[in-house]
Amino acid sequence: MSLVADPLLEQVHALAGAVPDPEIPVVTLSDLGILRSVTREHEQIVVTLTPTYTGCPATEVIRDDVQRALMQAGLHGVQVRLTLSPPWTTDWISIAGRAKLRDYGIAPPARAAQAQQAQVLQFVSREQWRAGAVPKQVDTPPADTLAKTEGPACPQCGAVQVECVSEYGSTPCKALYRCLKCREPFDYFKPY
Amino acid sequence: MNQSVSSPAASAQDVRAHPAHIEYVLRLGDSALILGQRLAEWCGHGPMLEEDIALTNVSLDLVGQARLLLAHAGQLEGLGRDEDALAFLRDEGHFRNWTIVELPHGDGRHDDYAFTIVRNLMVAALMVPWWTALAQSSDTTLAAIGGKSVKEAQAHLRHASQWTVRFGDGTVVSHARAQAALERLWPYANEWWQTDAIEQHAAQAGIGPLAADLRAAWDATLDAVLAEATLKRPATTGFISQGKAGQHSEHLGYVLAEMQSLARKHPGATW
């Protein structure tokens, strides 16, 4: 790709990036970080997307939505390609995307690099948990600047005293949690 | 049922991959597919709503992985078979999945959730190091699939570990059922540790690891989970199942009958 700004590529990037996710329509493809690149290959414009989960049923819908958005803007013949590598991670969700998720009632994901360490589950009683005991598998928040806004915190009241109801929720990317303070259930976008 | 569709002349697909390379990918793809199909049997029948959703989500991941792997196997084969042709138009003798994934959930009369969970634990504990190694494969497509799938396998391992601990360290009944499931499933792990010419070729060509080389990592994971679950590690026996060589148990035919009947009744149907 040339370093010189290409207005057409920028237009395609803006159009494709603004396409809403079919399952969580408050966030765009750009927010989710699944729009990988817009390039020109021998006069052919190529939009490259990356799927979230291997079995994500939204992947093909997303590809068609991008194609449709571009055609509605009069851009025909743009190729939309899917690439697996490098694999998508929730770390690519933008700051704006994370804020939108929270406002929508979905707790944004903790940093994937930390959360992916699979560990044997350790149980603590609810009384111990309220008293501050931390089971081993719960991530200690990362020490960087994002830490304040990360981890499964209740999107309604902001409490971090939450419990996992189910590792799997309404879509493959979400877990079901419950706030122990305001008692509201909420979705948690799992680090991936 | 072999389709004989010739690939276009002078295409890149005419350069056929080594048969062992195709077989290696098929073993992974078929194992993901059959376990995905087995887990889908719990859809609407899970012991509780959350677990019903969990198992179908794990199933979805596995079918997604299978789709990528079988599509790749079809490309390597170069006979024009896509992932659907491989999944729906082959008979059991042509499937290369490990026997462990085709077993019914329990004794065949009553579905046993402990059996489902312990099997998921054993498989996921193997797939985490396997996908991790595949991410370095000399086959770039396989490497991309590995890099993606390892994240899913980690989630599957976490889910299965949590429930193994709950069952093992739960009630007298749940402990007994988890231990019984472990005893029944344990002999089927031997198939993984038995290296054959196909795996040797794959390892030498840098395509993927020998399962036998992942055994130490698998043992460490299993030992940690079983200790926390207060379950006893069964003794290793001499039985070696042969699913990866295409010799299956009596159960696979029933799985395929259910999985394939619709696709075979309406060939080429789309939705």
Side-chain angles (χ1 to χ4, degrees), chain A residues 93-113:
Chain A
I93 299 178
S94 67
I95 303 278
R98 303 171 73 83
K100 286 183 199 172
L101 284 174
R102 197 179 302 108
D103 292 344
Y104 190 58
I106 300 172
R111 280 202 321 179

Side-chain angles (χ1 to χ4, degrees), chain A residues 102-166:
Chain A
R102 197 179 302 108
D103 292 344
Y104 190 58
I106 300 172
R111 280 202 321 179
Q114 301 216 343
Q116 269 163 23
Q117 307 299 323
Q119 286 175 337
V120 178
L121 182 74
Q122 310 279 321
F123 284 101
V124 294
S125 70
R126 190 169 291 178
E127 288 69 35
Q128 289 173 309
W129 172 229
R130 288 213 180 93
V134 179
K136 271 195 212 161
Q137 93 279 12
V138 172
D139 303 308
T140 35
D144 66 19
T145 48
L146 278 173
K148 288 180 217 73
T149 60
E150 276 189 306
C154 173
Q156 314 295 339
C157 74
V160 291
Q161 298 291 80
V162 296
E163 64 179 357
C164 180
V165 178
S166 173

Side-chain angles (χ1 to χ4, degrees), chain B residues 52-216:
Chain B
D52 197 300
I53 293 169
L55 284 187
T56 40
N57 271 295
V58 174
S59 171
L60 186 66
D61 285 343
L62 292 169
V63 173
Q65 293 166 5
R67 185 180 178 181
L68 294 170
L69 289 162
L70 293 182
H72 183 47
Q75 287 283 321
L76 292 171
E77 183 187 52
L79 295 176
R81 292 201 285 183
D82 64 5
E83 65 270 31
D84 285 346
L86 287 170
F88 298 128
L89 301 178
R90 281 181 301 155
D91 292 328
E92 54 189 289
H94 292 109
F95 272 76
R96 294 291 181 263
N97 58 280
W98 315 305
T99 303
I100 190 170
V101 297
E102 73 203 32
L103 302 175
H105 309 277
D107 59 10
R109 284 173 294 146
H110 305 287
D111 284 347
D112 184 358
Y113 203 61
F115 188 93
T116 302
I117 289 297
V118 172
R119 171 166 54 194
N120 281 5
L121 171 71
M122 290 171 68
V123 173
L126 181 68
M127 290 321 292
V128 169
W130 202 321
W131 291 126
T132 304
L134 281 175
Q136 312 300 322
S137 173
S138 60
D139 173 341
T140 53
T141 304
L142 204 48
I145 298 170
K148 189 113 195 90
S149 303
V150 67
K151 298 180 177 207
E152 291 162 3
Q154 280 161 341
H156 304 166
L157 177 58
R158 202 161 52 237
H159 175 259
S161 304
Q162 289 177 356
W163 280 99
T164 303
V165 173
R166 280 194 183 93
F167 288 153
D169 199 16
T171 66
V172 174
V173 174
S174 72
H175 178 91
R177 280 170 63 171
Q179 186 66 45
L182 194 60
E183 304 282 348
R184 280 200 61 219
L185 283 158
W186 200 259
Y188 291 92
N190 290 344
E191 182 175 344
W192 291 324
W193 321 134
Q194 196 72 13
T195 300
D196 63 9
I198 285 159
E199 288 180 33
Q200 249 149 16
H201 170 87
Q204 276 159 16
I207 294 162
L210 299 178
D213 287 344
L214 308 172
R215 189 175 183 175

Side-chain angles (χ1 to χ4, degrees), chain A residues 69-92:
Chain A
L70 294 173
M71 276 160 75
Q72 276 167 3
L75 293 160
H76 296 271
V78 175
Q79 197 184 64
V80 182
R81 210 179 270 172
L82 289 168
T83 183
L84 290 180
S85 182
W88 179 78
T89 160
T90 45
D91 291 351
W92 292 350

